[in-house]
Amino acid sequence: MDLPTLQQEIIQEEGGVILEPYQDHLGYWTIGAGHLVRDHEKDELMNPISYQRGIELFLKDFNVAIDDAESFTDGMILDDNAHECIIHMVFQLGLPRLNKFVKFKKCLSENNISGAMEEMKDSLWYRQTTNRANRIIKKMEKSLNPNA
């Protein structure tokens, strides 16, 4: 798995490392590279941060996403590309929301990548973040024929 490239892809998806708090498209306060500002962090993160702090927050969130993706795919036999897609999704959604993709998870567990892609499209996530979802779905297509 090419984690440094995946990190760069996610940072790019998040619009870079943004040093001032902003509200995302759903109204959630966010800072850095897509870091959700939680209530206990508001004293620090509702103010501008340094680039270094933004990277620290990203790396912490990225490592949580890797662990959560491993949990989500436990027992599944998936290629690195599909795993990267799951990491990307769990970074954006969090594991609790991704766990609501029951049919998607079932398709993955059966190595039904095509079905998993259809389930990705048939979701609120897809409707809310269509461009990002389409990029991840396009990446998932590589898992249909990993030897191509």
Side-chain angles (χ1 to χ4, degrees), residues 5-18 33-34 58 88 91 132 135:
T5 299
L6 181 59
Q7 288 174 342
Q8 290 305 311
E9 287 175 6
I10 291 175
I11 288 173
Q12 184 177 355
E13 287 284 327
E14 296 299 335
V17 179
I18 299 169
F58 169 75
H88 205 133
F91 182 89
R132 179 183 299 195
R135 285 189 289 271

Side-chain angles (χ1 to χ4, degrees), residues 1-62:
M1 199 171 337
D2 183 3
L3 294 180
T5 299
L6 181 59
Q7 288 174 342
Q8 290 305 311
E9 287 175 6
I10 291 175
I11 288 173
Q12 184 177 355
E13 287 284 327
E14 296 299 335
V17 179
I18 299 169
L19 305 181
E20 296 199 20
Y22 65 94
Q23 287 182 290
D24 70 9
H25 69 287
L26 296 175
Y28 294 109
W29 284 103
T30 308
I31 199 162
H35 178 79
L36 175 66
V37 178
R38 292 176 173 78
D39 287 340
H40 71 276
E41 299 172 314
K42 285 187 176 177
D43 286 344
E44 174 195 2
L45 299 180
M46 289 306 290
N47 298 295
I49 59 172
S50 68
Y51 181 81
Q52 182 59 36
R53 182 66 174 129
I55 293 296
E56 288 170 8
L57 291 168
F58 169 75
L59 291 174
K60 180 181 173 196
D61 292 344
F62 185 77

Side-chain angles (χ1 to χ4, degrees), residues 101-130:
F101 286 60
V102 176
K103 293 177 186 176
F104 169 72
K105 188 172 186 175
K106 183 176 187 319
C107 288
L108 287 176
S109 71
E110 297 168 351
N111 206 21
N112 177 359
I113 300 300
S114 180
M117 290 167 52
E118 285 303 313
E119 293 303 324
M120 292 166 83
K121 289 179 186 174
D122 185 24
S123 68
L124 179 60
W125 166 72
Y126 182 85
R127 291 186 296 281
Q128 288 179 336
T129 58
T130 304

